[in-house]
Amino acid sequence: SINPDVPLDGTDFFDKLKNRSLVDLTFSDRIRNIIRTNLTQSGVDGFGSSSGTQTNLQADPFGGSTASKFTTPASSSFKFLKYTLNSARLEGKNVNWSFYIKGSGSTTSATITVSNIATAQSATITILDGSGSIAQAAQYWNITGLSTSSWTRVSVQMNNLSTSGGSEPDPQDLRFVVYPGVYNSQDESEIFTSSWQIEFSPEATDYQDPTDIT
């Protein structure tokens, strides 16, 4: 790996070259999915959340158990699951964020955003597969009509991404955020989500499980 975020025995590949170390080389397209885990749970890789209840190891769209269920408290707002990246890695690139989501119980909606407001407002969001419709409200997108039995795959496309002017939570960070229900009016809202993918691409490609590369 030449990616310093995925070190080889504690160092990146360039360190091995500098020290003229003998190594075995393996080639793959693993770099396509920047996210290095197939789990979508707080505390794994770059995932985190606000206060809420997260139930992990739920059934995912591919017959596995990598999905998560996230439930907000009663009478709450701005409770979310997020993935955080350093914005410098994405600056100026075509970036696509895709993920799977479905409703649960009485919740058939969700809100998503990218934390940098200018980035969020210039993005294009589409439903790739499954039920639901999308409406934009400033830097937020509301997804309604989610099924509680089948998955919906969503794509967020950001071309020539610019993070200038970012201020939350850190100008150096970019957060990809999913809120169960309506972001500012949650009441034990609950969704399932799975199989997030962030890639340098002008469109979403098939999900690549980063833990299953041959």
Side-chain angles (χ1 to χ4, degrees):
S1 173
I2 62 172
N3 182 352
D5 292 337
V6 188
L8 180 68
D9 298 330
T11 61
D12 64 36
F13 182 54
F14 293 112
D15 184 81
K16 299 294 184 182
L17 291 177
K18 179 180 177 181
N19 290 285
R20 304 181 66 83
S21 303
L22 181 65
V23 296
D24 294 324
L25 296 184
T26 300
F27 297 88
S28 80
D29 63 349
R30 179 175 182 149
I31 195 64
R32 177 159 65 83
N33 189 359
I34 295 173
I35 299 178
R36 303 189 302 273
T37 177
N38 58 5
L39 300 173
T40 50
Q41 59 194 56
S42 181
V44 173
D45 194 31
F47 281 94
S49 66
S50 62
S51 57
T53 301
Q54 191 169 13
T55 308
N56 301 318
L57 303 178
Q58 300 295 297
D60 64 36
F62 305 103
S65 57
T66 64
S68 287
K69 179 173 69 173
F70 190 80
T71 309
T72 74
S75 302
S76 58
S77 60
F78 297 100
K79 308 305 180 187
F80 55 77
L81 179 68
K82 66 178 180 179
Y83 187 81
T84 303
L85 276 170
N86 186 282
S87 61
R89 294 185 60 196
L90 310 181
E91 189 74 23
K93 296 180 172 64
N94 292 340
V95 179
N96 185 278
W97 167 37
S98 58
F99 59 92
Y100 287 82
I101 191 169
K102 68 177 179 178
S104 178
S106 61
T107 306
T108 57
S109 65
T111 305
I112 66 173
T113 191
V114 182
S115 62
N116 180 284
I117 292 176
T119 299
Q121 290 178 326
S122 64
T124 300
I125 177 172
T126 54
I127 290 179
L128 300 176
D129 295 296
S131 60
S133 59
I134 299 165
Q136 185 173 1
Q139 72 266 34
Y140 298 97
W141 297 281
N142 298 316
I143 308 172
T144 56
L146 292 173
S147 170
T148 58
S149 59
S150 60
W151 291 95
T152 294
R153 191 181 187 210
V154 178
S155 164
V156 179
Q157 184 65 45
M158 296 159 282
N159 291 330
N160 192 25
L161 188 148
S162 173
T163 59
S164 61
S167 59
E168 58 170 323
D170 184 306
Q172 301 303 314
D173 290 338
L174 198 61
R175 299 188 306 168
F176 302 82
V177 187
V178 172
Y179 304 85
V182 179
Y183 69 98
N184 59 355
S185 180
Q186 299 167 315
D187 190 8
E188 297 183 339
S189 305
E190 183 173 270
I191 52 95
F192 288 88
T193 188
S194 177
S195 310
W196 290 31
Q197 178 163 273
I198 298 174
E199 54 188 321
F200 298 141
S201 174
E203 61 184 2
T205 64
D206 290 343
Y207 174 67
Q208 180 195 63
D209 182 345
T211 69
D212 185 25
I213 303 298
T214 59

